[in-house]
Amino acid sequence: MAKALAKKTASDNEKALQNLRYGMIISSALYVLLRFILPPHKFPPAFWPSMIYLLTAIPTVFLYRYLHSVGTPKRDAAGTLISSGDDLNQPGLLDACWDVIYVTWGCQVGSSLFGEWFWWLYLSIPLFGGYKVYTSFISPMMGLRQGHPAAAAADPAAASPGADTTSKRQAKIQKRNEKIQAQQAKSGRR
């Protein structure tokens, strides 16, 4: 069973890396084709759009190499699977690598189709990273629940961990005792 799972992970990784390779080639070819060859763009192209393309291609190539080194299955000379590599579909750092690559491809092709303003979409990467840092690390350290101070103030049990909480059974018994006391007070006996 474990061998089958390792083979499936290796197969999925090989497909993902092949798609990643094709995606890099296609997005770069589209950028060059739309930016440099097809009109109405001028030749030679403007300096800054080309620099932005090169600066965003650097992290994409770095992340491609990282995903390739982590996810490539290891095989011996006979072709037997030694290690399937890390699962490239797992959440966390690998998921963030895929997101950066996809946003980069979208910005590269979008800027060549719609104009230079499309590069502003690239700011979604650090904005999302800041949001995740705040909700995962900063707000829990400050004692805020789920990043909202109102949520922590609205739930007194969560705000004060030492507060006495009663179970359902204890609450039922307490309610019954209050009812009995109310009946006794009404009848005048005590």
Side-chain angles (χ1 to χ4, degrees):
M1 184 86 157
K3 279 265 197 198
L5 182 62
K7 287 180 182 179
K8 182 178 178 348
T9 302
S11 172
D12 291 346
N13 284 354
E14 288 172 341
K15 287 178 189 173
L17 291 172
Q18 182 178 11
N19 290 338
L20 179 62
R21 211 171 301 121
Y22 289 150
M24 288 186 66
I25 293 169
I26 290 170
S27 70
S28 296
L30 279 174
Y31 181 82
V32 169
L33 178 73
L34 295 172
R35 176 67 63 182
F36 300 134
I37 298 173
L38 295 179
H41 301 293
K42 59 186 182 237
F43 192 79
F47 176 73
W48 289 111
S50 301
M51 286 305 296
I52 292 173
Y53 171 76
L54 290 175
L55 287 175
T56 58
I58 291 169
T60 305
V61 170
F62 173 76
L63 292 174
Y64 166 75
R65 292 180 56 130
Y66 173 71
L67 290 173
H68 190 270
S69 69
V70 168
T72 303
K74 313 278 188 285
R75 300 182 186 275
D76 63 3
T80 307
L81 185 67
I82 296 172
S83 170
S84 63
D86 288 347
D87 185 10
L88 294 179
N89 293 326
Q90 66 184 351
L93 181 62
L94 296 177
D95 197 26
C97 291
W98 288 108
D99 293 343
V100 170
I101 290 171
Y102 292 147
V103 170
T104 303
W105 290 350
C107 288
Q108 289 171 350
V109 174
S111 69
S112 61
L113 285 174
F114 304 115
E116 309 316 321
W117 63 270
F118 212 81
W119 286 110
W120 288 101
L121 181 64
Y122 209 69
L123 289 176
S124 64
I125 297 170
L127 289 175
F128 183 71
Y131 166 76
K132 290 301 276 184
V133 166
Y134 177 76
T135 57
S136 300
F137 300 110
I138 295 173
S139 64
M141 285 184 194
M142 293 175 56
L144 306 175
R145 193 174 84 183
Q146 298 174 351
H148 301 290
D155 189 4
S160 58
D164 186 31
T165 57
T166 58
S167 67
K168 287 183 181 181
R169 183 171 182 259
Q170 290 172 337
K172 207 179 208 183
I173 292 172
Q174 186 177 13
K175 188 175 180 182
R176 186 182 320 137
N177 288 340
E178 288 173 359
K179 187 177 179 182
I180 292 171
Q181 288 177 356
Q183 285 177 350
Q184 288 175 351
K186 186 178 180 184
S187 66
R189 292 185 277 155
R190 224 165 148 37

